[in-house]
Amino acid sequence: MYIFHKLLLILLLSLSGALGKNEECVDERIKDSECGSYCYKIVKPLLQYAASVRSKEHQFNDLIATIQIKDATIESLDKQLMLCMPEQKDCLTQEKMMSANQAILDKIQNLEDQLKEWQNKASEISEQKSKEAANVPTEPTTTTTTTTTIAPTVPIAKEIKKPPEKKKEKPSSCIGEQGDEVEIQVPGMNPFYVSCDSSLAGPGWIVIQRRIDGSENFNRNIHEYCAGFGNSNHEFFIGLDKLHLLTSFRQHELYIYLKNMHNEVRYARYGNFRIGGPNEDYMLKTADEYSGNAGDAMDYYRKSRFSTPDYDRDNDPIRNCAKLYKSGWWHNKCHSSNLNGVYRTAQYAHSVGVQWKTWHTTSLQFVQMMIRPVK
Ligand SMILES: [Ca+2]
């Protein structure tokens, strides 16, 4: 019983000490001396456990306190962050707007500087013009030196700059032209002079062939017929190349004026006349819409190629019609007309002559072939 009371006392003392300020204040050596080996063996683990519990509890409380402080700190930072984010957005937007506004202000300033410079130039030009006008007494002064707009520069520029002179285009026919010789131009060839006639069949005809007195030789080779020959004021042939270009780019009509040895006159007219190019041997492609009183002596040659004595393209497989009748023409098997034939000074009822056989077979005194664009 005494021992039990002693142990209880020691336990209470130990617990009160253990619950005191210093958990490790119990000197194990005192305990050992007071309790003895038996007491110490039983109580010591309890005391150690109690001290450990107390220590853990303090550590736990410290950790709780630390966590609470950190939570409070985190909460405070969150609040600050939430408050700061919209402010940052506003700050960025305002910064951009400030930058844009500054750029606009800079542009406005540049434009104002340019405008001021132009106004100064306009004022100088206006002053100069006023001085020039003052030196010419017959011209009234219309401007003042106080002009501040750039508008006066426009009429000044117009006065100085003269409009370019329009180059007159050359005609492509004799229609509307004055004179017997007119320079015309058609696509595919340089300008060239033609003989115009308005006396035989109305105005505006281009003469392409004429026979008057036999002064010109029409017994020529293909190159001469292509280029043309003779005197355009007298006897001549205009040339197949020109004839092809003229009748190709626009529809032309053909007028053939004929006079025999008795000074009788007849004519043959074709509303559509066209000659092919060199790759078609200058074929008589079209001689349609005949009218007149001399007969259609061209009908026999439609689609016939042009032959010369050195260039047989006729439809006679045996004869060389151009060589036989000494002329370049659209010989078929040979001819029903031959206006480039040998000129005769007297009537010959023979195929060698200047002929239009639908009228008569004797040679003609005067022939003129003419073309004119169809309106
Ligand atoms: Ca032949």
Side-chain angles (χ1 to χ4, degrees), residues 205 247 250-256 267-274 286-292 296 298 302 370-375:
W205 290 95
T247 59
R250 282 179 70 180
Q251 181 179 336
H252 280 66
E253 58 180 330
L254 170 67
Y255 191 98
I256 299 173
Y267 75 96
R269 188 168 188 162
Y270 298 86
N272 190 6
F273 174 65
R274 188 155 72 96
T286 310
D288 297 337
E289 303 172 26
Y290 165 80
S291 62
D296 184 6
M298 296 298 282
R302 289 190 180 94
M370 306 182 293
I371 59 171
R372 185 171 66 177
V374 176
K375 294 178 182 176

PDB file of all heavy atoms in Angstrom, residues 205 247 250-256 267-274 286-292 296 298 302 370-375:
ATOM      1  N   TRP A 205     -13.363  57.442-157.728  1.00  0.00           N
ATOM      2  CA  TRP A 205     -12.867  56.180-158.277  1.00  0.00           C
ATOM      3  C   TRP A 205     -11.339  56.171-158.303  1.00  0.00           C
ATOM      4  O   TRP A 205     -10.709  57.160-158.669  1.00  0.00           O
ATOM      5  CB  TRP A 205     -13.387  55.973-159.705  1.00  0.00           C
ATOM      6  CG  TRP A 205     -14.869  55.695-159.774  1.00  0.00           C
ATOM      7  CD1 TRP A 205     -15.849  56.616-159.989  1.00  0.00           C
ATOM      8  CD2 TRP A 205     -15.505  54.428-159.626  1.00  0.00           C
ATOM      9  NE1 TRP A 205     -17.084  56.010-159.991  1.00  0.00           N
ATOM     10  CE2 TRP A 205     -16.906  54.656-159.763  1.00  0.00           C
ATOM     11  CE3 TRP A 205     -15.076  53.135-159.382  1.00  0.00           C
ATOM     12  CZ2 TRP A 205     -17.840  53.643-159.674  1.00  0.00           C
ATOM     13  CZ3 TRP A 205     -16.010  52.121-159.309  1.00  0.00           C
ATOM     14  CH2 TRP A 205     -17.376  52.370-159.439  1.00  0.00           C
ATOM     15  N   THR A 247      -8.758  45.488-152.437  1.00  0.00           N
ATOM     16  CA  THR A 247     -10.056  44.816-152.514  1.00  0.00           C
ATOM     17  C   THR A 247     -10.266  43.818-151.383  1.00  0.00           C
ATOM     18  O   THR A 247     -11.356  43.276-151.254  1.00  0.00           O
ATOM     19  CB  THR A 247     -10.193  44.081-153.856  1.00  0.00           C
ATOM     20  OG1 THR A 247      -9.135  43.123-153.981  1.00  0.00           O
ATOM     21  CG2 THR A 247     -10.140  45.052-155.016  1.00  0.00           C
ATOM     22  N   ARG A 250     -11.534  46.058-147.748  1.00  0.00           N
ATOM     23  CA  ARG A 250     -12.900  46.580-147.850  1.00  0.00           C
ATOM     24  C   ARG A 250     -13.513  46.101-149.157  1.00  0.00           C
ATOM     25  O   ARG A 250     -12.813  45.857-150.138  1.00  0.00           O
ATOM     26  CB  ARG A 250     -12.905  48.111-147.846  1.00  0.00           C
ATOM     27  CG  ARG A 250     -12.713  48.700-146.486  1.00  0.00           C
ATOM     28  CD  ARG A 250     -12.715  50.225-146.563  1.00  0.00           C
ATOM     29  NE  ARG A 250     -14.029  50.746-146.871  1.00  0.00           N
ATOM     30  CZ  ARG A 250     -14.300  52.057-146.998  1.00  0.00           C
ATOM     31  NH1 ARG A 250     -13.351  52.928-146.839  1.00  0.00           N
ATOM     32  NH2 ARG A 250     -15.519  52.464-147.255  1.00  0.00           N
ATOM     33  N   GLN A 251     -14.839  45.967-149.141  1.00  0.00           N
ATOM     34  CA  GLN A 251     -15.496  45.577-150.389  1.00  0.00           C
ATOM     35  C   GLN A 251     -15.434  46.741-151.376  1.00  0.00           C
ATOM     36  O   GLN A 251     -15.726  47.885-151.040  1.00  0.00           O
ATOM     37  CB  GLN A 251     -16.955  45.195-150.130  1.00  0.00           C
ATOM     38  CG  GLN A 251     -17.682  44.754-151.410  1.00  0.00           C
ATOM     39  CD  GLN A 251     -19.123  44.354-151.166  1.00  0.00           C
ATOM     40  OE1 GLN A 251     -19.481  43.981-150.057  1.00  0.00           O
ATOM     41  NE2 GLN A 251     -19.938  44.436-152.209  1.00  0.00           N
ATOM     42  N   HIS A 252     -15.020  46.422-152.593  1.00  0.00           N
ATOM     43  CA  HIS A 252     -14.927  47.415-153.661  1.00  0.00           C
ATOM     44  C   HIS A 252     -15.817  47.017-154.825  1.00  0.00           C
ATOM     45  O   HIS A 252     -16.067  45.832-155.068  1.00  0.00           O
ATOM     46  CB  HIS A 252     -13.476  47.550-154.153  1.00  0.00           C
ATOM     47  CG  HIS A 252     -12.608  48.411-153.283  1.00  0.00           C
ATOM     48  ND1 HIS A 252     -12.271  48.071-152.003  1.00  0.00           N
ATOM     49  CD2 HIS A 252     -12.027  49.617-153.534  1.00  0.00           C
ATOM     50  CE1 HIS A 252     -11.495  49.028-151.489  1.00  0.00           C
ATOM     51  NE2 HIS A 252     -11.336  49.968-152.393  1.00  0.00           N
ATOM     52  N   GLU A 253     -16.262  48.024-155.554  1.00  0.00           N
ATOM     53  CA  GLU A 253     -16.958  47.793-156.814  1.00  0.00           C
ATOM     54  C   GLU A 253     -15.996  48.115-157.962  1.00  0.00           C
ATOM     55  O   GLU A 253     -15.027  48.859-157.776  1.00  0.00           O
ATOM     56  CB  GLU A 253     -18.223  48.643-156.899  1.00  0.00           C
ATOM     57  CG  GLU A 253     -17.986  50.132-156.760  1.00  0.00           C
ATOM     58  CD  GLU A 253     -19.282  50.917-156.860  1.00  0.00           C
ATOM     59  OE1 GLU A 253     -20.197  50.465-157.551  1.00  0.00           O
ATOM     60  OE2 GLU A 253     -19.351  52.012-156.256  1.00  0.00           O
ATOM     61  N   LEU A 254     -16.285  47.535-159.122  1.00  0.00           N
ATOM     62  CA  LEU A 254     -15.430  47.694-160.307  1.00  0.00           C
ATOM     63  C   LEU A 254     -16.238  48.331-161.432  1.00  0.00           C
ATOM     64  O   LEU A 254     -17.381  47.919-161.692  1.00  0.00           O
ATOM     65  CB  LEU A 254     -14.909  46.318-160.747  1.00  0.00           C
ATOM     66  CG  LEU A 254     -14.193  46.240-162.099  1.00  0.00           C
ATOM     67  CD1 LEU A 254     -12.863  46.992-162.068  1.00  0.00           C
ATOM     68  CD2 LEU A 254     -13.961  44.763-162.489  1.00  0.00           C
ATOM     69  N   TYR A 255     -15.623  49.325-162.025  1.00  0.00           N
ATOM     70  CA  TYR A 255     -16.272  49.980-163.172  1.00  0.00           C
ATOM     71  C   TYR A 255     -15.307  49.943-164.351  1.00  0.00           C
ATOM     72  O   TYR A 255     -14.155  50.367-164.249  1.00  0.00           O
ATOM     73  CB  TYR A 255     -16.614  51.434-162.833  1.00  0.00           C
ATOM     74  CG  TYR A 255     -17.509  52.121-163.844  1.00  0.00           C
ATOM     75  CD1 TYR A 255     -18.884  52.219-163.628  1.00  0.00           C
ATOM     76  CD2 TYR A 255     -16.983  52.663-165.011  1.00  0.00           C
ATOM     77  CE1 TYR A 255     -19.707  52.845-164.545  1.00  0.00           C
ATOM     78  CE2 TYR A 255     -17.798  53.285-165.950  1.00  0.00           C
ATOM     79  CZ  TYR A 255     -19.157  53.380-165.704  1.00  0.00           C
ATOM     80  OH  TYR A 255     -19.980  53.988-166.636  1.00  0.00           O
ATOM     81  N   ILE A 256     -15.780  49.428-165.486  1.00  0.00           N
ATOM     82  CA  ILE A 256     -14.947  49.335-166.691  1.00  0.00           C
ATOM     83  C   ILE A 256     -15.569  50.206-167.768  1.00  0.00           C
ATOM     84  O   ILE A 256     -16.717  49.981-168.187  1.00  0.00           O
ATOM     85  CB  ILE A 256     -14.831  47.871-167.163  1.00  0.00           C
ATOM     86  CG1 ILE A 256     -14.174  47.018-166.071  1.00  0.00           C
ATOM     87  CG2 ILE A 256     -14.022  47.804-168.454  1.00  0.00           C
ATOM     88  CD1 ILE A 256     -14.181  45.533-166.385  1.00  0.00           C
ATOM     89  N   TYR A 267     -20.165  50.390-170.849  1.00  0.00           N
ATOM     90  CA  TYR A 267     -19.530  50.115-169.554  1.00  0.00           C
ATOM     91  C   TYR A 267     -20.011  48.781-168.991  1.00  0.00           C
ATOM     92  O   TYR A 267     -21.090  48.268-169.356  1.00  0.00           O
ATOM     93  CB  TYR A 267     -19.795  51.249-168.550  1.00  0.00           C
ATOM     94  CG  TYR A 267     -21.202  51.249-167.984  1.00  0.00           C
ATOM     95  CD1 TYR A 267     -21.480  50.636-166.753  1.00  0.00           C
ATOM     96  CD2 TYR A 267     -22.260  51.846-168.680  1.00  0.00           C
ATOM     97  CE1 TYR A 267     -22.757  50.628-166.236  1.00  0.00           C
ATOM     98  CE2 TYR A 267     -23.539  51.825-168.173  1.00  0.00           C
ATOM     99  CZ  TYR A 267     -23.781  51.221-166.932  1.00  0.00           C
ATOM    100  OH  TYR A 267     -25.048  51.199-166.438  1.00  0.00           O
ATOM    101  N   ALA A 268     -19.199  48.261-168.102  1.00  0.00           N
ATOM    102  CA  ALA A 268     -19.563  47.072-167.307  1.00  0.00           C
ATOM    103  C   ALA A 268     -19.232  47.387-165.836  1.00  0.00           C
ATOM    104  O   ALA A 268     -18.140  47.878-165.528  1.00  0.00           O
ATOM    105  CB  ALA A 268     -18.779  45.847-167.777  1.00  0.00           C
ATOM    106  N   ARG A 269     -20.193  47.108-164.973  1.00  0.00           N
ATOM    107  CA  ARG A 269     -20.026  47.455-163.557  1.00  0.00           C
ATOM    108  C   ARG A 269     -20.288  46.201-162.703  1.00  0.00           C
ATOM    109  O   ARG A 269     -21.239  45.474-162.923  1.00  0.00           O
ATOM    110  CB  ARG A 269     -21.009  48.564-163.185  1.00  0.00           C
ATOM    111  CG  ARG A 269     -20.804  49.147-161.792  1.00  0.00           C
ATOM    112  CD  ARG A 269     -21.635  50.422-161.666  1.00  0.00           C
ATOM    113  NE  ARG A 269     -21.360  51.139-160.437  1.00  0.00           N
ATOM    114  CZ  ARG A 269     -21.678  52.401-160.240  1.00  0.00           C
ATOM    115  NH1 ARG A 269     -22.303  53.078-161.197  1.00  0.00           N
ATOM    116  NH2 ARG A 269     -21.393  52.984-159.105  1.00  0.00           N
ATOM    117  N   TYR A 270     -19.435  46.035-161.695  1.00  0.00           N
ATOM    118  CA  TYR A 270     -19.569  44.890-160.782  1.00  0.00           C
ATOM    119  C   TYR A 270     -19.595  45.421-159.338  1.00  0.00           C
ATOM    120  O   TYR A 270     -18.667  46.121-158.914  1.00  0.00           O
ATOM    121  CB  TYR A 270     -18.404  43.909-160.946  1.00  0.00           C
ATOM    122  CG  TYR A 270     -18.342  43.300-162.340  1.00  0.00           C
ATOM    123  CD1 TYR A 270     -17.676  43.956-163.364  1.00  0.00           C
ATOM    124  CD2 TYR A 270     -18.990  42.106-162.620  1.00  0.00           C
ATOM    125  CE1 TYR A 270     -17.639  43.425-164.634  1.00  0.00           C
ATOM    126  CE2 TYR A 270     -18.960  41.567-163.893  1.00  0.00           C
ATOM    127  CZ  TYR A 270     -18.282  42.232-164.911  1.00  0.00           C
ATOM    128  OH  TYR A 270     -18.259  41.696-166.184  1.00  0.00           O
ATOM    129  N   GLY A 271     -20.638  45.059-158.635  1.00  0.00           N
ATOM    130  CA  GLY A 271     -20.814  45.597-157.271  1.00  0.00           C
ATOM    131  C   GLY A 271     -19.877  44.988-156.256  1.00  0.00           C
ATOM    132  O   GLY A 271     -19.686  45.547-155.160  1.00  0.00           O
ATOM    133  N   ASN A 272     -19.287  43.855-156.596  1.00  0.00           N
ATOM    134  CA  ASN A 272     -18.381  43.199-155.638  1.00  0.00           C
ATOM    135  C   ASN A 272     -17.209  42.627-156.430  1.00  0.00           C
ATOM    136  O   ASN A 272     -17.381  41.702-157.224  1.00  0.00           O
ATOM    137  CB  ASN A 272     -19.130  42.104-154.877  1.00  0.00           C
ATOM    138  CG  ASN A 272     -18.323  41.560-153.707  1.00  0.00           C
ATOM    139  OD1 ASN A 272     -17.237  42.072-153.397  1.00  0.00           O
ATOM    140  ND2 ASN A 272     -18.845  40.529-153.058  1.00  0.00           N
ATOM    141  N   PHE A 273     -16.038  43.169-156.168  1.00  0.00           N
ATOM    142  CA  PHE A 273     -14.849  42.797-156.939  1.00  0.00           C
ATOM    143  C   PHE A 273     -13.703  42.537-155.967  1.00  0.00           C
ATOM    144  O   PHE A 273     -13.384  43.376-155.114  1.00  0.00           O
ATOM    145  CB  PHE A 273     -14.487  43.951-157.890  1.00  0.00           C
ATOM    146  CG  PHE A 273     -13.204  43.771-158.638  1.00  0.00           C
ATOM    147  CD1 PHE A 273     -13.047  42.760-159.573  1.00  0.00           C
ATOM    148  CD2 PHE A 273     -12.135  44.634-158.424  1.00  0.00           C
ATOM    149  CE1 PHE A 273     -11.857  42.613-160.279  1.00  0.00           C
ATOM    150  CE2 PHE A 273     -10.939  44.493-159.120  1.00  0.00           C
ATOM    151  CZ  PHE A 273     -10.804  43.473-160.041  1.00  0.00           C
ATOM    152  N   ARG A 274     -13.100  41.376-156.095  1.00  0.00           N
ATOM    153  CA  ARG A 274     -12.007  41.045-155.170  1.00  0.00           C
ATOM    154  C   ARG A 274     -10.973  40.152-155.845  1.00  0.00           C
ATOM    155  O   ARG A 274     -11.329  39.219-156.577  1.00  0.00           O
ATOM    156  CB  ARG A 274     -12.550  40.338-153.919  1.00  0.00           C
ATOM    157  CG  ARG A 274     -11.482  40.152-152.831  1.00  0.00           C
ATOM    158  CD  ARG A 274     -12.147  40.051-151.459  1.00  0.00           C
ATOM    159  NE  ARG A 274     -12.846  38.792-151.287  1.00  0.00           N
ATOM    160  CZ  ARG A 274     -12.318  37.730-150.691  1.00  0.00           C
ATOM    161  NH1 ARG A 274     -11.101  37.784-150.208  1.00  0.00           N
ATOM    162  NH2 ARG A 274     -13.011  36.617-150.556  1.00  0.00           N
ATOM    163  N   THR A 286     -13.772  37.334-156.962  1.00  0.00           N
ATOM    164  CA  THR A 286     -15.151  37.805-157.045  1.00  0.00           C
ATOM    165  C   THR A 286     -15.273  38.869-158.121  1.00  0.00           C
ATOM    166  O   THR A 286     -14.470  39.804-158.180  1.00  0.00           O
ATOM    167  CB  THR A 286     -15.597  38.417-155.696  1.00  0.00           C
ATOM    168  OG1 THR A 286     -15.294  37.510-154.642  1.00  0.00           O
ATOM    169  CG2 THR A 286     -17.077  38.724-155.692  1.00  0.00           C
ATOM    170  N   ALA A 287     -16.295  38.695-158.982  1.00  0.00           N
ATOM    171  CA  ALA A 287     -16.692  39.735-159.935  1.00  0.00           C
ATOM    172  C   ALA A 287     -18.198  39.562-160.125  1.00  0.00           C
ATOM    173  O   ALA A 287     -18.666  39.043-161.137  1.00  0.00           O
ATOM    174  CB  ALA A 287     -15.932  39.612-161.248  1.00  0.00           C
ATOM    175  N   ASP A 288     -18.925  39.990-159.087  1.00  0.00           N
ATOM    176  CA  ASP A 288     -20.367  39.726-159.032  1.00  0.00           C
ATOM    177  C   ASP A 288     -21.162  41.025-159.162  1.00  0.00           C
ATOM    178  O   ASP A 288     -20.597  42.106-159.195  1.00  0.00           O
ATOM    179  CB  ASP A 288     -20.724  39.047-157.707  1.00  0.00           C
ATOM    180  CG  ASP A 288     -20.058  37.678-157.580  1.00  0.00           C
ATOM    181  OD1 ASP A 288     -19.720  37.094-158.634  1.00  0.00           O
ATOM    182  OD2 ASP A 288     -19.862  37.234-156.438  1.00  0.00           O
ATOM    183  N   GLU A 289     -22.465  40.838-159.191  1.00  0.00           N
ATOM    184  CA  GLU A 289     -23.418  41.961-159.235  1.00  0.00           C
ATOM    185  C   GLU A 289     -23.166  42.839-160.472  1.00  0.00           C
ATOM    186  O   GLU A 289     -22.995  44.048-160.378  1.00  0.00           O
ATOM    187  CB  GLU A 289     -23.335  42.795-157.935  1.00  0.00           C
ATOM    188  CG  GLU A 289     -23.583  41.986-156.676  1.00  0.00           C
ATOM    189  CD  GLU A 289     -23.305  42.788-155.407  1.00  0.00           C
ATOM    190  OE1 GLU A 289     -23.399  44.027-155.451  1.00  0.00           O
ATOM    191  OE2 GLU A 289     -22.996  42.175-154.365  1.00  0.00           O
ATOM    192  N   TYR A 290     -23.127  42.144-161.618  1.00  0.00           N
ATOM    193  CA  TYR A 290     -22.882  42.881-162.877  1.00  0.00           C
ATOM    194  C   TYR A 290     -24.057  43.794-163.216  1.00  0.00           C
ATOM    195  O   TYR A 290     -25.218  43.461-163.010  1.00  0.00           O
ATOM    196  CB  TYR A 290     -22.652  41.891-164.029  1.00  0.00           C
ATOM    197  CG  TYR A 290     -22.757  42.547-165.386  1.00  0.00           C
ATOM    198  CD1 TYR A 290     -21.697  43.271-165.901  1.00  0.00           C
ATOM    199  CD2 TYR A 290     -23.954  42.479-166.120  1.00  0.00           C
ATOM    200  CE1 TYR A 290     -21.804  43.908-167.131  1.00  0.00           C
ATOM    201  CE2 TYR A 290     -24.072  43.105-167.356  1.00  0.00           C
ATOM    202  CZ  TYR A 290     -22.986  43.815-167.843  1.00  0.00           C
ATOM    203  OH  TYR A 290     -23.094  44.445-169.077  1.00  0.00           O
ATOM    204  N   SER A 291     -23.688  44.920-163.767  1.00  0.00           N
ATOM    205  CA  SER A 291     -24.662  45.805-164.405  1.00  0.00           C
ATOM    206  C   SER A 291     -23.934  46.549-165.514  1.00  0.00           C
ATOM    207  O   SER A 291     -22.713  46.663-165.493  1.00  0.00           O
ATOM    208  CB  SER A 291     -25.279  46.788-163.398  1.00  0.00           C
ATOM    209  OG  SER A 291     -24.282  47.637-162.857  1.00  0.00           O
ATOM    210  N   GLY A 292     -24.640  47.070-166.498  1.00  0.00           N
ATOM    211  CA  GLY A 292     -23.983  47.805-167.582  1.00  0.00           C
ATOM    212  C   GLY A 292     -24.578  47.461-168.931  1.00  0.00           C
ATOM    213  O   GLY A 292     -25.610  46.789-169.025  1.00  0.00           O
ATOM    214  N   ASP A 296     -21.308  40.969-169.684  1.00  0.00           N
ATOM    215  CA  ASP A 296     -20.462  40.470-168.588  1.00  0.00           C
ATOM    216  C   ASP A 296     -19.340  39.610-169.151  1.00  0.00           C
ATOM    217  O   ASP A 296     -19.404  38.386-169.147  1.00  0.00           O
ATOM    218  CB  ASP A 296     -21.328  39.674-167.599  1.00  0.00           C
ATOM    219  CG  ASP A 296     -20.520  39.208-166.400  1.00  0.00           C
ATOM    220  OD1 ASP A 296     -19.325  39.594-166.290  1.00  0.00           O
ATOM    221  OD2 ASP A 296     -21.068  38.469-165.559  1.00  0.00           O
ATOM    222  N   MET A 298     -16.445  39.336-167.850  1.00  0.00           N
ATOM    223  CA  MET A 298     -15.597  38.826-166.769  1.00  0.00           C
ATOM    224  C   MET A 298     -16.103  37.498-166.224  1.00  0.00           C
ATOM    225  O   MET A 298     -15.413  36.822-165.477  1.00  0.00           O
ATOM    226  CB  MET A 298     -15.523  39.840-165.612  1.00  0.00           C
ATOM    227  CG  MET A 298     -14.849  41.166-165.977  1.00  0.00           C
ATOM    228  SD  MET A 298     -13.124  40.960-166.487  1.00  0.00           S
ATOM    229  CE  MET A 298     -12.355  40.755-164.899  1.00  0.00           C
ATOM    230  N   ARG A 302     -14.088  33.974-163.652  1.00  0.00           N
ATOM    231  CA  ARG A 302     -14.256  33.824-162.199  1.00  0.00           C
ATOM    232  C   ARG A 302     -13.482  32.581-161.734  1.00  0.00           C
ATOM    233  O   ARG A 302     -13.564  31.516-162.322  1.00  0.00           O
ATOM    234  CB  ARG A 302     -15.734  33.709-161.832  1.00  0.00           C
ATOM    235  CG  ARG A 302     -16.469  35.033-162.013  1.00  0.00           C
ATOM    236  CD  ARG A 302     -17.879  35.016-161.420  1.00  0.00           C
ATOM    237  NE  ARG A 302     -18.511  36.320-161.634  1.00  0.00           N
ATOM    238  CZ  ARG A 302     -19.290  36.607-162.668  1.00  0.00           C
ATOM    239  NH1 ARG A 302     -19.555  35.689-163.570  1.00  0.00           N
ATOM    240  NH2 ARG A 302     -19.815  37.816-162.793  1.00  0.00           N
ATOM    241  N   MET A 370     -11.650  50.970-163.028  1.00  0.00           N
ATOM    242  CA  MET A 370     -11.652  51.757-161.790  1.00  0.00           C
ATOM    243  C   MET A 370     -12.323  50.962-160.663  1.00  0.00           C
ATOM    244  O   MET A 370     -13.226  50.168-160.922  1.00  0.00           O
ATOM    245  CB  MET A 370     -12.417  53.066-162.005  1.00  0.00           C
ATOM    246  CG  MET A 370     -11.915  53.904-163.185  1.00  0.00           C
ATOM    247  SD  MET A 370     -12.806  55.462-163.384  1.00  0.00           S
ATOM    248  CE  MET A 370     -14.432  54.860-163.856  1.00  0.00           C
ATOM    249  N   ILE A 371     -11.880  51.222-159.449  1.00  0.00           N
ATOM    250  CA  ILE A 371     -12.529  50.584-158.291  1.00  0.00           C
ATOM    251  C   ILE A 371     -12.864  51.678-157.265  1.00  0.00           C
ATOM    252  O   ILE A 371     -12.242  52.749-157.223  1.00  0.00           O
ATOM    253  CB  ILE A 371     -11.638  49.507-157.634  1.00  0.00           C
ATOM    254  CG1 ILE A 371     -10.311  50.114-157.147  1.00  0.00           C
ATOM    255  CG2 ILE A 371     -11.396  48.356-158.595  1.00  0.00           C
ATOM    256  CD1 ILE A 371      -9.491  49.164-156.304  1.00  0.00           C
ATOM    257  N   ARG A 372     -13.831  51.368-156.406  1.00  0.00           N
ATOM    258  CA  ARG A 372     -14.259  52.310-155.371  1.00  0.00           C
ATOM    259  C   ARG A 372     -14.864  51.516-154.216  1.00  0.00           C
ATOM    260  O   ARG A 372     -15.598  50.534-154.439  1.00  0.00           O
ATOM    261  CB  ARG A 372     -15.310  53.253-155.957  1.00  0.00           C
ATOM    262  CG  ARG A 372     -15.763  54.353-155.024  1.00  0.00           C
ATOM    263  CD  ARG A 372     -16.639  55.377-155.746  1.00  0.00           C
ATOM    264  NE  ARG A 372     -17.913  54.807-156.192  1.00  0.00           N
ATOM    265  CZ  ARG A 372     -18.868  55.495-156.798  1.00  0.00           C
ATOM    266  NH1 ARG A 372     -18.710  56.794-157.068  1.00  0.00           N
ATOM    267  NH2 ARG A 372     -20.015  54.912-157.169  1.00  0.00           N
ATOM    268  N   PRO A 373     -14.561  51.906-152.986  1.00  0.00           N
ATOM    269  CA  PRO A 373     -15.147  51.186-151.847  1.00  0.00           C
ATOM    270  C   PRO A 373     -16.681  51.287-151.871  1.00  0.00           C
ATOM    271  O   PRO A 373     -17.232  52.332-152.225  1.00  0.00           O
ATOM    272  CB  PRO A 373     -14.586  51.901-150.625  1.00  0.00           C
ATOM    273  CG  PRO A 373     -13.405  52.645-151.096  1.00  0.00           C
ATOM    274  CD  PRO A 373     -13.664  52.979-152.535  1.00  0.00           C
ATOM    275  N   VAL A 374     -17.295  50.203-151.503  1.00  0.00           N
ATOM    276  CA  VAL A 374     -18.766  50.196-151.440  1.00  0.00           C
ATOM    277  C   VAL A 374     -19.158  50.778-150.086  1.00  0.00           C
ATOM    278  O   VAL A 374     -18.638  50.371-149.045  1.00  0.00           O
ATOM    279  CB  VAL A 374     -19.292  48.753-151.576  1.00  0.00           C
ATOM    280  CG1 VAL A 374     -20.802  48.724-151.410  1.00  0.00           C
ATOM    281  CG2 VAL A 374     -18.900  48.187-152.940  1.00  0.00           C
ATOM    282  N   LYS A 375     -20.029  51.738-150.078  1.00  0.00           N
ATOM    283  CA  LYS A 375     -20.430  52.439-148.851  1.00  0.00           C
ATOM    284  C   LYS A 375     -21.272  51.521-147.976  1.00  0.00           C
ATOM    285  O   LYS A 375     -22.009  50.711-148.462  1.00  0.00           O
ATOM    286  CB  LYS A 375     -21.229  53.686-149.187  1.00  0.00           C
ATOM    287  CG  LYS A 375     -20.383  54.735-149.910  1.00  0.00           C
ATOM    288  CD  LYS A 375     -21.208  55.950-150.282  1.00  0.00           C
ATOM    289  CE  LYS A 375     -20.367  56.960-151.040  1.00  0.00           C
ATOM    290  NZ  LYS A 375     -21.155  58.110-151.511  1.00  0.00           N
TER     291      LYS A 375
END
